[in-house]
Amino acid sequence: MAARGLGSDSFGGYRARLVEDLRAKGIRDLAVLQAVGEVPRHLFVPDVLTHQAYDDTSLPIGHGQTISQPSTQALYLQALELSGRGRVLEIGTGSGYQAALLARLSPDVVTIERLGPLARVAKEALAAAGVRNVLVITGDGTIGWRPLAPYEAIVVAAAGPSVPAPLLDQLEDGGRLVAPVAQGRAQSLVRVTRRGETFEREDLGPVQFVPLIGRHGFPREAADEGKPRT
Ligand code: SAM
């Protein structure tokens, strides 16, 4: 990854173009658009892909994983309806880019990645981008992170067979969780809002994500199946 910090790069014009692209695709949340306009995505992609960093596309980051498409991530962030005051949990750190966006929208972000090498590179990229309010944990995110629960919002960046029950349990009252859920070969993005012990579920449309592997996700063999996805 290139070692340049926030504000000291020459990619501002590319970020502004990406923001316009997302606006044209229906992203309306101004805080989300501002975060995309500020976070140096080129620090979160492999050096050989720097020239594609501000295209609205997913890109490979190694270990069979991807940094997701910016418009999909923006849709996620918009659906979380963050207050700007609560703690957020992300499952699937990947490159660390979405965590960096979350760090502009929330004072306190916890992100969990199951693959140690990716978690290490993500930590370095977050440091290079000057992000200080993200805790990166290596482990199985399907069990959440109880020591810092409850969370105002939880975002899951990989598709499981269902929404992991421990994550619902770690959501505060009124909190929102956004996750892709697989149904056969199809996947849909769902938003769950907690109301006491009731969980309201909405379908936000079709998506394509890598599998969520873990105790409350798919078994490990699922990681080796299928084609590259966002
Ligand atoms: N948010 C990421 C970004 O901005 O680059 C993209 C995430 S990528 C689409 C999905 C990630 O979820 C992969 O890095 C994968 O290793 C991770 N993952 C899959 N199952 C997981 C689990 N149970 N716990 C934590 N991470 C998991």
Side-chain angles (χ1 to χ4, degrees), residues 49-67:
L49 297 175
T50 299
H51 62 291
Q52 285 181 272
Y54 295 100
D55 293 348
D56 185 24
T57 181
S58 62
L59 294 169
I61 54 172
H63 306 276
Q65 305 302 322
T66 53
I67 176 173

Side-chain angles (χ1 to χ4, degrees), residues 65-66 73 90 92-95 98 112-114 140-141 157 213:
Q65 305 302 322
T66 53
Q73 293 185 313
E90 179 193 38
T93 313
S95 68
Q98 187 160 42
I112 309 178
E113 172 56 54
R114 67 179 275 268
D140 177 5
I213 310 293

Side-chain angles (χ1 to χ4, degrees), residues 98-109 126 131-134:
Q98 187 160 42
L101 294 174
L102 285 166
R104 306 225 125 221
L105 302 167
S106 156
D108 198 1
V109 178
L126 287 162
V131 177
R132 313 230 180 286
N133 52 334
V134 174

Side-chain angles (χ1 to χ4, degrees), residues 2-175:
R4 282 173 292 246
L6 188 61
S8 62
D9 64 64
S10 54
F11 292 83
Y14 293 100
R15 279 195 289 279
R17 200 189 58 190
L18 176 59
V19 167
E20 285 320 306
D21 195 4
L22 300 189
R23 218 190 277 278
K25 289 174 177 163
I27 302 302
R28 292 280 168 266
D29 187 316
L30 293 179
V32 171
L33 292 169
Q34 187 175 349
V36 172
E38 291 174 351
V39 173
R41 191 173 189 252
H42 62 279
L43 297 183
F44 295 88
V45 304
D47 287 346
V48 291
L49 297 175
T50 299
H51 62 291
Q52 285 181 272
Y54 295 100
D55 293 348
D56 185 24
T57 181
S58 62
L59 294 169
I61 54 172
H63 306 276
Q65 305 302 322
T66 53
I67 176 173
S68 306
Q69 192 174 355
S71 53
T72 304
Q73 293 185 313
L75 183 70
Y76 256 79
L77 296 173
Q78 184 167 266
L80 290 176
E81 294 177 353
L82 297 174
S83 68
R85 293 183 297 278
R87 181 178 289 138
V88 178
L89 174 66
E90 179 193 38
I91 312 305
T93 313
S95 68
Y97 175 67
Q98 187 160 42
L101 294 174
L102 285 166
R104 306 225 125 221
L105 302 167
S106 156
D108 198 1
V109 178
V110 179
T111 180
I112 309 178
E113 172 56 54
R114 67 179 275 268
L115 299 174
L118 283 184
R120 273 194 294 283
V121 173
K123 264 189 212 172
E124 286 168 15
L126 287 162
V131 177
R132 313 230 180 286
N133 52 334
V134 174
L135 173 65
V136 181
I137 292 163
T138 303
D140 177 5
T142 67
I143 58 172
W145 187 250
R146 231 169 249 289
L148 293 175
Y151 300 95
E152 179 196 12
I154 300 179
V155 51
V156 186
S162 59
V163 177
L167 300 185
L168 294 175
D169 198 40
Q170 291 172 33
L171 206 52
E172 70 183 25
D173 195 7

Side-chain angles (χ1 to χ4, degrees), residues 179-202:
V181 175
Q183 296 145 324
R185 297 187 80 81
Q187 296 176 8
S188 58
L189 192 60
V190 301
R191 176 170 56 188
V192 179
T193 305
R194 181 170 195 167
R195 309 258 179 237
E197 290 313 304
T198 303
F199 295 89
E200 292 169 6
R201 185 177 164 133
E202 299 156 82

